[in-house]
Amino acid sequence: YAEQVLVGEEMLQEFNITNEHTDSSCVDFNNSDFQSASMSLTNQLQRAGTLDRRSYHWAPGGHGHNSRFAQEWARTCRTDSYRQIVPFSNSYTSLQTQIGNMQAGGYTSIHLGMKWATTLLDPSFQPALSNLTLGSTPLVNAAFDGRPFNYTRPRTQKVVVLMTDGKNTSLYSLKSGFRSGLSPFFLDDKDYDDDDALSVYRQSTGKYYHVHDGYTHWSNNPRGGSDAVQLTYQEVWENYAVDYWDDEFHWLPNSWDYTGSSTMDNQLIGSDGDGGICQAAKDEGIEVFTLGFETSSYSSGVLTHCASSSSHHFDVDGTDISEAFNSIAREIHDLRLTN
């Protein structure tokens, strides 16, 4: 129920993650990443930007101009603690508390949830998990040291239960070249709240532009003169909505990429319902159950393709969700007894 998966900085540091910032701990993947259940601990992963692509034209509760300033509720990678992955736990109480604290919000990226689920079951994650069991306040209980087990280990069962209330929708990410380094934005003494303090350099004219009272003005120097500070891209995205960049300074190059539902579905189940991260998980012997809560027939079809079989998919409404989870639990229990 989110546009991105909040990994958590402690776990993310077990990977070779880029270091543009540490303001959020999400990852932007390539298409090829969804063809494998594993995730390399040494190949470099791209940290997601903190971009807000929604709030400039949309306010909570309805349409309407909100603010040029970036909003936490509209960020691609939100940092609410209830969103963060609990990588492994044997505490029933802790897991219930975490689930009880969860909230829905933002776009939906089912394929990202499935990617991280398979990553945490894949044996390639074992060195990272062992590290997370160390220290005076380890993220993971020491009982999990040595896991995830190999796929071929006898009497070992790996299961993913994937639930959604909708379908893949939209995912935004920053383009290469707009993630780090100096931006064309200048700010007088870094006074973000002062509308007249911000100016933007346009290379083609050699002028600095700023917006005041709905009109664009230009000058030979940034607002504030020598007091103006050139902002990094990360400072821009941390403080300003991406649409402010696009609309008020439309001559600036486009800074973001868009991934739509069809591409996200392909990364989840492949173009023909036989591929993507779901197939990669099943090819390794991971048992995949899927659950659609009050979803459309289209979403049901996508989830059925993702599941290990048609009988591994459940369509539910209202309180039927409890019975669906009970059925999944019984099937997992029966599988354990027969392995």
Side-chain angles (χ1 to χ4, degrees):
Y1 306 104
E3 187 174 353
Q4 265 284 8
V5 173
L6 183 66
V7 181
E9 196 60 31
E10 185 176 356
M11 190 170 90
L12 195 60
Q13 287 299 322
E14 294 296 326
F15 298 89
N16 181 17
I17 189 71
T18 59
N19 61 358
E20 298 93 341
H21 62 88
T22 56
D23 296 324
S24 59
S25 53
C26 298
V27 173
D28 290 335
F29 292 108
N30 298 313
N31 273 323
S32 59
D33 294 320
F34 297 93
Q35 302 304 311
S36 172
S38 65
M39 191 185 305
S40 172
L41 298 178
T42 56
N43 294 343
Q44 191 169 69
L45 286 178
Q46 178 60 62
R47 184 188 293 271
T50 57
L51 72 161
D52 165 6
R53 181 62 181 79
R54 303 177 67 206
S55 71
Y56 191 63
H57 295 292
W58 180 270
H63 292 279
H65 180 86
N66 189 43
S67 171
R68 66 189 174 104
F69 297 109
Q71 308 292 313
E72 175 61 32
W73 65 266
R75 294 189 190 280
T76 297
C77 180
R78 304 189 198 181
T79 58
D80 313 275
S81 60
Y82 62 80
R83 295 176 178 272
Q84 186 168 312
I85 290 176
V86 177
F88 282 82
S89 177
N90 54 4
S91 170
Y92 181 82
T93 302
S94 296
L95 289 172
Q96 271 206 320
T97 299
Q98 182 73 6
I99 293 170
N101 288 336
M102 286 181 176
Q103 300 177 37
Y107 294 126
T108 301
S109 300
I110 305 169
H111 64 311
L112 296 184
M114 186 63 186
K115 176 61 184 177
W116 278 107
T118 59
T119 292
L120 296 181
L121 292 178
D122 192 87
S124 63
F125 187 67
Q126 192 275 327
L129 185 59
S130 292
N131 288 339
L132 295 174
T133 66
L134 303 176
S136 57
T137 56
L139 183 66
V140 176
N141 190 290
F144 293 99
D145 188 20
R147 302 193 188 193
F149 295 135
N150 291 331
Y151 290 114
T152 56
R153 182 180 182 271
R155 300 187 63 80
T156 296
Q157 184 181 3
K158 296 174 186 278
V159 178
V160 169
V161 179
L162 181 67
M163 183 180 77
T164 184
D165 68 342
K167 65 177 184 178
N168 281 318
T169 53
S170 301
L171 177 62
Y172 292 91
S173 59
L174 289 173
K175 288 185 174 180
S176 178
F178 297 90
R179 295 176 179 273
S180 62
L182 293 174
S183 77
F185 278 51
F186 289 76
L187 195 63
D188 182 6
D189 198 29
K190 287 197 176 182
D191 187 357
Y192 292 99
D193 291 325
D194 184 354
D195 288 349
D196 284 337
L198 182 71
S199 53
V200 180
Y201 179 70
R202 186 173 185 177
Q203 189 173 12
S204 63
T205 63
K207 305 293 184 181
Y208 295 84
Y209 292 75
H210 77 280
V211 177
H212 178 71
D213 289 339
Y215 295 94
T216 301
H217 307 267
W218 57 268
S219 62
N220 292 322
N221 297 292
R223 304 290 289 176
S226 60
D227 290 331
V229 178
Q230 189 172 8
L231 301 181
T232 65
Y233 277 110
Q234 177 54 22
E235 288 175 317
V236 171
W237 308 133
E238 188 66 25
N239 290 279
Y240 297 108
V242 173
D243 280 341
Y244 178 67
W245 165 294
D246 291 341
D247 289 0
E248 300 295 353
F249 310 102
H250 57 85
W251 36 265
L252 288 170
N254 179 264
S255 58
W256 50 270
D257 283 319
Y258 168 75
T259 303
S261 58
S262 61
T263 298
M264 298 160 82
D265 284 347
N266 287 346
Q267 292 170 343
L268 181 68
I269 61 170
S271 59
D272 57 358
D274 184 22
I277 187 59
C278 293
Q279 191 63 50
K282 290 182 287 188
D283 286 347
E284 297 291 2
I286 296 175
E287 202 85 16
V288 181
F289 293 89
T290 58
L291 194 154
F293 182 68
E294 300 180 356
T295 57
S296 66
S297 59
Y298 173 83
S299 295
S300 178
V302 171
L303 293 173
T304 300
H305 281 304
C306 181
S308 291
S309 72
S310 58
S311 64
H312 283 71
H313 173 64
F314 297 80
D315 279 317
V316 297
D317 296 297
T319 57
D320 291 342
I321 192 170
S322 295
E323 180 54 36
F325 276 112
N326 287 334
S327 295
I328 292 171
R330 286 194 296 269
E331 291 199 38
I332 292 173
H333 179 262
D334 291 342
L335 284 169
R336 186 173 74 245
L337 292 177
T338 57
N339 282 343

